């Protein structure tokens, strides 16, 4: 898995070069990092198969970057990178994770105050050494401390989306082993919580030793915390921990139930068992000394007199009671989405052309896909003005003549400070759908922010509000908004709230999804993709919808094209 390590190094190199005001090169490294993130083939394997020439064929990789990849694959490090780090011995990738801290600021703080890491940064801010520096002020000091507070509250938790595909691949590989009969992730990962502490994997095998050996000797493993006959615990190079447990088949179901949790859900189920004169543990459901269920999870719940409960609901929020009464809702399924309506194309600085997006969407089995480029207020995202939108629409019309799936014309307009949009209504009226979102002045008081969004909801051209609360998980709080009023307005004006699937957004979050559903508000699950590899994030949004107990009927893009168009009839 050299791709992820290389992409991290290239991002850091880009940062160091930007610090030195070196032109062009940083963008090249940044671009290569982005390509590596989305690359299916491993760059290390590509090199081993075809040498440096093959590496140069990777998009965005030129002579100089290819030789760095070669050096890394052969020696495990990159000399020029080590030198950069020696000259500027600061933990750049850590520091710039703080909202509002860029490389230039990190450089100034290092040169003037010797700040090398977050700990020293916090001390400098608390001692008020930063506010006096040029380019900083009392507000930056406050923002820095706020940002550090966020990182601390993270306490070693990881974004679900950052670990998701790594864990899925690992589980698939384990499943391919001859000794492994069954294998599944459990814990918060199986419940698809937005952040996870560690990953718990459960396997069935008659030869646990072999499975543990295979797992703990893998290349990705950085450290083995401990290993026994049937379990082991490791840290992998991506920084997170995995617990693997191997259990006998006859208690796989009860172990899966136990290790999926949540702890609170387990307490509730155990109490139900006790009330029936039974005992529930990871080893099975017992009547006296006899195991009466344990092989499958279904059976465990059934013998408890309960319906099987989807893991995403197991948070002790009333699901156990519903299961006893046979009232578990039929949640939206992972294959129910018929189209993604929030895709940025290369028209607004996204990575892929509309044709490429449509082809990928078709491969995902979608019936339609919506292009929602940024509009002009967002200069850094190369937002489109009225003329550019019309030009882009012509391209979409042309592509639709041959495209197998329908490409819908949309945009993601900016909700300005006063609630108006940054693009003219007559152009919006020509689109198939309009998303509107807040991307600026995020710190308004609750009353004004709420009014601002409601004004956009009332705009007859607007169909969808993107990432309604504006939060960035572990980085930025929700904007101050009265969500109850937003739900009411969305319901009254029949507008749709987005469930944004981007790993650090997941916005609406589970709690709000559940509330919106109770209020009868329609939602849409979108990815907000800027490159086609992001289209796969849809699964994360579906997970959150399921955690919010959403059903198919609550989510409009489970509907076929005609219904969607009818919905947006304008
Ligand atoms: P995480 O890792 O913090 O994101 O959250 P989980 O839910 O994955 O928790 P973890 O890894 O500590 O344990 C995995 C599951 O094992 C947990 O969801 C329920 C079960 N479990 C662990 N410790 C206890 C316990 O003390 N009591 C009960 N009832 N269940 C437990
Ligand atoms: Ca866990
Ligand atoms: Ca664990």
């Amino acid at each position: 898995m050299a791709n992820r390590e290389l992409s991290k190094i290239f991002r850091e190199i880009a940062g160091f070069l930007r610090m030195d005001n070196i032109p062009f090169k940083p963008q090249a490294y940044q671009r290569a990092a982005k390509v590596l993130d989305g690359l299916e083939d491993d760059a290390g394997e590509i090199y081993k198969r075809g040498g440096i020439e093959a590496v140069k064929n990777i998009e965005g990789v030129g002579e100089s970057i290819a030789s760095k990849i070669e050096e890394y694959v052969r020696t495990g490090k990159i000399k020029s990178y080590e030198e950069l780090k020696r000259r500027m011995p600061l933990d750049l990738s850590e520091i710039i994770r703080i909202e509002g801290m860029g490389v230039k600021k990190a450089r100034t703080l290092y040169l003037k105050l010797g700040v090398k890491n977050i700990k020293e940064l916090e001390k400098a801010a608390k001692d008020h050494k930063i506010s006096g520096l040029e380019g900083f002020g009392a507000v930056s000091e406050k923002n820095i401390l706020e940002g550090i507070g966020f990182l601390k509250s993270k306490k070693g938790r990881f974004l679900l989306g950052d670990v998701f595909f790594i864990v899925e691949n690992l589980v698939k590989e384990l499943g391919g082993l001859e000794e492994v009969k069954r294998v599944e992730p459990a814990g918060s990962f199986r419940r698809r919580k937005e952040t996870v502490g560690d990953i718990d994997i459960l396997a069935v095998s008659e030869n646990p030793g072999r499975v543990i050996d295979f797992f703990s000797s893998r290349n990705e493993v950085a450290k083995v915390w401990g290993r026994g006959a049937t379990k082991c615990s490791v840290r992998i190079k991506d920084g997170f921990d995995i617990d693997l447990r191997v259990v006998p088949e006859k208690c796989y179901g009860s172990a899966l139930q136990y290790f999926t949790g949540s702890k609170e859900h387990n307490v509730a189920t155990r109490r139900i068992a006790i009330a029936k004169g039974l005992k529930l543990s990871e080893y099975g459901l017992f009547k006296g000394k006899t195991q009466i269920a344990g092989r499958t999870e279904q059976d465990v719940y059934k013998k408890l007199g309960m319906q099987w409960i989807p893991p995403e609901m197991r948070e002790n929020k009333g699901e156990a009671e519903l299961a006893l009464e046979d009232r578990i809702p039929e949640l939206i399924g992972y294959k129910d989405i018929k189209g993604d309506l929030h895709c940025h194309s290369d028209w607004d600085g996204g990575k892929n052309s509309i044709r490429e997006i449509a082809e990928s969407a078709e491969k995902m089995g979608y019936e339609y896909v919506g292009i929602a480029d940024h509009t002009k207020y967002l200069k850094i995202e190369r937002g489109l003005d009225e003329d550019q939108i019309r030009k882009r629409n012509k391209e979409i019309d042309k592509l639709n003549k041959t495209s197998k799936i329908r490409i819908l014309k949309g945009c993601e307009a900016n909700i300005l400070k006063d609630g108006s949009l940054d693009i003219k209504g007559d152009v919006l009226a020509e689109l198939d759908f309009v998303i509107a979102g807040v991307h600026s002045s995020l710190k308004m008081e609750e009353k004004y922010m709420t009014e601002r969004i409601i004004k956009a909801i009332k705009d007859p051209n607007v169909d969808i509000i993107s990432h309604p609360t504006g939060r960035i998980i572990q980085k930025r709080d929700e904007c101050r908004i009265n969500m109850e009023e937003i739900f009411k307005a969305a319901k009254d004006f029949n507008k749709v709230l987005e469930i944004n699937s981007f790993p650090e957004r997941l916005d609406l979050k589970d709690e709000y999804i559940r509330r919106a559903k109770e209020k009868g508000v329609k939602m849409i699950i979108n990815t907000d993709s800027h490159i086609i590899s992001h289209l796969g994030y849809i699964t994360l949004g579906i997970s959150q919808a399921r955690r919010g107990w959403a059903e198919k009927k609550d989510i409009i893009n489970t509907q076929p094209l005609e219904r969607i168009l009818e919905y947006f009839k304008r």
Side-chain angles (χ1 to χ4, degrees), residues 24-77:
F24 309 122
K25 272 190 173 180
Q27 286 92 311
Y29 278 102
Q30 202 75 36
R31 193 163 353 107
K34 221 172 170 180
V35 169
L36 285 169
D37 282 341
L39 198 65
E40 270 183 33
D41 257 356
D42 186 68
E45 297 298 322
I46 295 177
Y47 176 76
K48 281 176 201 154
R49 276 200 310 264
I52 192 152
E53 286 310 314
V55 175
K56 272 193 263 175
N57 278 337
I58 302 173
E59 200 198 327
V61 173
E63 192 93 33
S64 135
I65 291 180
S67 70
K68 299 225 159 45
I69 294 177
E70 175 177 49
E71 187 185 348
Y72 183 79
V73 178
R74 295 176 63 159
T75 67
K77 55 181 169 208

Side-chain angles (χ1 to χ4, degrees), residues 191 258 260-267 314-316 319:
R191 305 199 307 282
Y258 179 85
T260 297
S262 64
K263 288 184 183 102
E264 295 74 19
H265 174 83
N266 288 355
V267 171
R314 299 184 198 172
E315 298 289 349
N316 197 30
E319 73 281 1

